[in-house]
Amino acid sequence: MEATDETARTVTGDLRPVYQIMRRLNLGGDVASVLDAVAEGAAATVGFAVAAISYLREDATLEIVSVAGSAEAREQLVGTLVPLALMEEELALADAWGSLLFIPAERLADLPTDGWIPVADAAAPRDEPSPDDPDRWRPEDTLRAPLRSPEGELLGLLSVDLPLDGRRPDAARREQLEMYADLAGIALGNARRAVDLAEQVRLGAAVDAINSEAVASLDAAQVVDRATASIAAALRSDWVRVRVVGAGALPGTDHGARFPTGHAETPAPVVAWATREACDHWAAGTVSLTTVSADGAMLTTHTRHLDTATRRPVAGGAAGWVSQPLSPRTDIGDEAERAAVLAHLHGNDLSSMLMAPMGAGTDCFGYVVLARRDGAGTGDRAVPGAVPGAGGVAGDGGAQGPADGAGSGAETGAAGWSTHEVRAASQVARHLGQAVLNARLLEREHVLVEQLEALDVYKNDLISTVSHELRTPLTSIQGHLELIEDDPAAAPAASFQVVRRNLDRVLSLIDDLLTLKRLTDREATSEAAIVDLHQLAVDAVAAFRLHAQEDGVRLVLQPHGGPLLISGDHDELERVALNLVGNAVKYTPAGGEVSVSVERSERFVRFVCRDTGLGISKPDQEELFTEFFRSTNPEALARPGTGLGLSIVRRIVQRHGGSIRLESELGEGSTFTVRLPLSRL
Ligand code: ADP
């Protein structure tokens, strides 16, 4: 601590070490050495055998990072941890000496000893005041100076013990001590700000990079896949799981990604809990942090508020206040979920997990879970010593100083998650959610465009087919009408028959078109009633009996014991039966046979129409149920038809939750089997 310039040589006595410390602070010296100098100054200049500086970590533990006194005291004390809660009990008993807190030995009698400054081996005081001197320093006397940020937040404590003159310090020495405490407060405040800044810059850049990567892809699955490993790296996580559930605002299927990619599927109860938890946090604008207790037996979930830092006074406010970002809960899910989450974390060797929800507007549709093993993350960095490359702090920081490797951390949140990391995780999840949403919407838009294009093609096809189908019979009607008009008396009877047949064809085409329209109309609902399928078969066979007789086709109904009830639309199902039986009769040449039967199994009923007719070739079978398709077989084409019957049948069967199957060989006949679910009534 040699001052070299002219000014320094003029500063002497008690002020000199203070000047040296100020100078170091201004020059951006590393925090650990500033704190050492403060402890040294507090001990040597103010006159105490021991001075120790502890640092308040974000996990509410005070850790001794700097000790002045004997080497033994240093070795014994550096790294000692005391929970703030314990210290608060003690501080509550203190007398305020200006900004110092003095706890007379008498008052400490009832408190449990906490191992704080057990300096039995420290150098003995030089003077020994008489035992009845009221100002005599008692072995249990405690004097602490809170180290505060300029805003008043508690950052640490400067504790002194064993005054060299054996007395409780007078006003002048207290003032000196306050001065050293102020300097230590400034040093710690600077360190924290520098670390804050460095961490903010690093995370800001990482979040930006992840966001740009996410928006660079228009494929939702790719967005999630790509982001996952980057999130793990940026947020120093050993385990990452991104899960997107297709719901509400987010159409599409579920998607997830993991880091490392090989890790096992998350058990269902954990997913159930996490999904619920994520949605609660989305609504509240918070994230959750779940930690496993040191003995591994218990889980605690903390809610992290992103916008408001909660503050709690320390020891009634005498020492300042501390940030209190945590509100712990142990009521995690139900018992089974709690056990599953604990087992899941154990199984993956994880000790804490941070969960940030994904969503848009009021809709929550997933989460990003980041997890760490013990000691991972920023908790590894030694603050206050370490501020490499940030805030102009010189030296190689964390590699030096008393806090080296001690796992302290100004920015270390509970279980190693800093406030900045928590905020970054939340931002990443939000952006990722937005990117996934955009990609999904785009995908949906593409599908819709394709559907619209297909619909357009279909509509054009329909118009030309319908025009064609109408033109043929109408042209024929026109021709024969002209013949009749020319000479009504001489008009052949056949002309009237042709007109009649073609008119029937036009009417049945229009009838089929209207039916098709009704079936494709999303708004239209079927009339649900109890329908007897057996009766429908009886009626359909009766309807075509005469026709079959005229064509020389044997039409038989296989006997069935009685009614076969299903739930459905009577008229629609009647149409199915009539169409299949009608086709079978129509496409079966004279001498053939059509056989109709109904049967039931445990859960289904079947309507089977078998014929020994023309049969259908394999290529024709592929397209048989599409609108306007008519067989390529000239023999079949010669018979009148619209090509709409089977497509109507298929739609009706589908609307009833059933299916239709065709077995056919060209020249050998066909069997159509309709399967419908049995009525539950
Ligand atoms: P349409 O009978 O009015 O032409 P469909 O949609 O009912 O229209 O039938 C489509 C095509 O399927 C028919 O043109 C016909 O070639 C063929 N088809 C339908 N049923 C049979 C069957 N039982 N035997 C042979 N071919 C059939």
Side-chain angles (χ1 to χ4, degrees):
M1 262 195 269
E2 271 318 297
T4 51
D5 63 31
E6 192 60 30
T7 330
R9 274 194 288 278
T10 65
V11 178
T12 54
D14 291 355
L15 276 182
R16 190 180 166 99
V18 175
Y19 166 75
Q20 295 283 5
I21 295 166
M22 300 273 296
R23 204 160 173 278
R24 272 178 190 239
L25 276 175
N26 280 337
L27 290 174
D30 80 273
V31 187
S33 69
V34 171
L35 292 183
D36 278 348
V38 169
E40 211 56 64
T45 321
V46 191
F48 284 91
V50 184
I53 293 177
S54 61
Y55 178 73
L56 180 60
R57 310 183 340 177
E58 227 184 272
D59 65 356
T61 307
L62 284 155
E63 176 180 356
I64 299 185
V65 291
S66 199
V67 174
S70 67
E72 274 164 314
R74 188 180 303 242
E75 193 171 311
Q76 195 179 348
L77 296 178
V78 168
T80 305
L81 300 174
V82 177
L84 178 65
L86 205 62
M87 181 58 66
E88 282 184 292
E89 283 183 42
E90 191 195 288
L91 294 181
L93 303 173
D95 290 333
W97 286 356
S99 66
L100 303 182
L101 295 168
F102 178 68
I103 306 118
E106 315 75 89
R107 255 176 249 163
L108 276 178
D110 294 340
L111 281 184
T113 50
D114 55 15
W116 186 252
I117 314 204
V119 285
D121 53 352
R126 280 179 216 147
D127 308 317
E128 195 51 63
S130 90
D132 5 289
D133 184 339
D135 285 337
R136 186 176 61 90
W137 180 270
R138 321 272 168 85
E140 298 297 324
D141 276 355
T142 307
L143 183 57
R144 311 214 190 274
L147 311 179
R148 298 196 191 88
S149 71
E151 296 79 32
E153 187 179 2
L154 185 72
L155 301 179
L157 285 175
L158 165 63
S159 307
V160 289
D161 204 356
L162 303 175
L164 298 178
D165 63 1
R167 288 169 194 286
R168 292 172 174 177
D170 60 13
R173 283 164 63 210
R174 291 181 207 168
E175 226 174 284
Q176 274 180 313
L177 208 55
E178 281 180 323
M179 197 164 60
Y180 280 106
D182 277 355
L183 290 174
I186 294 171
L188 284 181
N190 284 352
R192 203 167 76 153
R193 263 199 299 279
V195 171
D196 256 17
L197 197 70
E199 182 73 344
Q200 241 169 314
V201 168
R202 183 186 77 77
L203 285 169
V207 169
D208 277 354
I210 295 169
N211 293 345
S212 328
E213 206 179 3
V215 294
S217 173
L218 293 175
D219 176 284
Q222 217 173 53
V223 166
V224 171
D225 281 343
R226 283 188 188 172
T228 304
S230 312
I231 293 174
L235 287 149
R236 298 182 175 128
S237 308
D238 298 306
W239 192 96
V240 175
R241 176 85 170 110
V242 178
R243 198 175 128 80
V244 185
V245 191
L250 189 78
T253 46
D254 293 9
H255 187 78
R258 308 173 198 156
F259 173 87
T261 41
H263 74 68
E265 192 60 56
T266 313
V270 180
V271 173
W273 166 77
T275 310
R276 262 198 342 267
E277 182 86 354
C279 290
D280 288 351
H281 283 278
W282 178 257
T286 51
V287 303
S288 91
L289 176 65
T290 301
T291 52
V292 183
S293 62
D295 62 2
M298 216 181 74
L299 284 177
T300 311
T301 287
H302 312 266
T303 295
R304 303 282 309 239
H305 299 269
L306 299 165
D307 307 322
T308 49
T310 342
R311 292 163 174 191
R312 178 171 62 78
V314 177
W321 45 265
V322 289
S323 298
Q324 191 192 25
L326 308 176
S327 35
R329 279 190 294 129
T330 47
D331 57 332
I332 295 158
D334 59 30
E335 214 171 298
E337 285 172 345
R338 201 154 45 238
V341 173
L342 198 60
H344 175 60
L345 289 173
H346 276 312
N348 289 286
D349 197 22
L350 300 166
S351 61
S352 70
M353 82 183 161
L354 184 66
M355 181 169 65
M358 274 200 261
T362 52
D363 260 5
C364 160
F365 49 68
Y367 52 77
V368 176
V369 170
L370 309 157
R372 283 178 183 167
R373 308 211 156 90
D374 259 333
T378 50
D380 277 349
R381 281 174 312 151
V383 179
V387 199
V393 180
D396 45 3
Q400 299 176 345
D404 185 17
S408 69
E411 283 314 293
T412 307
W417 297 93
S418 77
T419 309
H420 297 308
E421 284 173 329
V422 169
R423 196 164 291 140
S426 162
Q427 283 171 354
V428 162
R430 271 167 194 273
H431 281 116
L432 202 58
Q434 196 58 50
V436 168
L437 179 64
N438 292 347
R440 288 263 175 102
L441 290 177
L442 202 76
E443 278 163 23
R444 193 164 68 151
E445 207 175 291
H446 281 152
V447 171
L448 285 177
V449 167
E450 274 168 22
Q451 283 175 347
L452 282 176
E453 282 169 0
L455 208 64
D456 209 39
V457 171
Y458 174 77
K459 190 192 77 187
N460 289 337
D461 282 357
L462 194 69
I463 291 172
S464 57
T465 314
V466 169
S467 318
H468 176 79
E469 292 297 324
L470 287 174
R471 178 178 281 273
T472 314
L474 289 175
T475 309
S476 170
I477 290 171
Q478 191 184 34
H480 284 273
L481 277 181
E482 278 168 10
L483 219 86
I484 296 166
E485 273 169 4
D486 283 350
D487 189 355
S495 285
F496 290 97
Q497 280 168 10
V498 175
V499 169
R500 156 70 43 213
R501 208 174 53 239
N502 280 300
L503 270 181
D504 285 348
R505 193 170 158 196
V506 170
L507 286 175
S508 84
L509 177 62
I510 290 170
D511 190 42
D512 280 354
L513 279 171
L514 288 174
T515 306
L516 198 64
K517 191 212 159 277
R518 200 174 60 76
L519 291 173
T520 48
D521 196 344
R522 278 184 209 185
E523 307 289 303
T525 48
S526 308
E527 297 278 321
I530 298 302
V531 181
D532 180 359
L533 196 68
H534 176 244
Q535 191 56 46
L536 290 185
V538 171
D539 293 347
V541 167
F544 288 98
R545 187 163 303 286
L546 197 63
H547 202 132
Q549 252 171 30
E550 284 170 4
D551 290 356
V553 173
R554 209 170 94 83
L555 176 58
V556 290
L557 176 69
Q558 300 295 333
H560 181 266
L564 200 47
L565 301 183
I566 62 162
S567 153
D569 183 307
H570 179 273
D571 291 354
E572 289 184 5
L573 292 173
E574 181 182 49
R575 201 177 177 101
V576 169
L578 287 172
N579 205 294
L580 293 178
V581 176
N583 274 353
V585 171
K586 181 163 67 172
Y587 297 110
T588 300
E593 184 185 291
V594 172
S595 146
V596 179
S597 64
V598 288
E599 54 194 54
R600 65 167 287 175
S601 67
E602 211 175 308
R603 289 187 299 132
F604 298 99
V605 292
R606 288 191 182 76
F607 176 94
V608 186
C609 183
R610 180 176 291 119
D611 67 60
T612 59
L614 300 179
I616 304 158
S617 70
K618 295 290 174 219
D620 280 0
Q621 287 181 28
E622 302 272 308
E623 291 184 77
L624 208 65
F625 295 94
T626 48
E627 285 87 16
F628 296 108
F629 179 80
R630 300 214 63 211
S631 172
T632 51
N633 176 4
E635 236 186 302
L637 266 183
R639 300 159 204 235
T642 61
L644 285 175
L646 284 181
S647 76
I648 289 173
V649 165
R650 189 195 51 158
R651 283 176 195 268
I652 293 174
V653 170
Q654 281 175 348
R655 273 157 78 96
H656 283 76
S659 58
I660 181 163
R661 202 178 70 216
L662 164 65
E663 289 149 287
S664 182
E665 286 292 336
L666 193 60
E668 288 182 18
S670 316
T671 302
F672 286 87
T673 306
V674 170
R675 193 179 78 162
L676 295 163
L678 195 60
S679 165
R680 265 178 262 132
L681 293 172

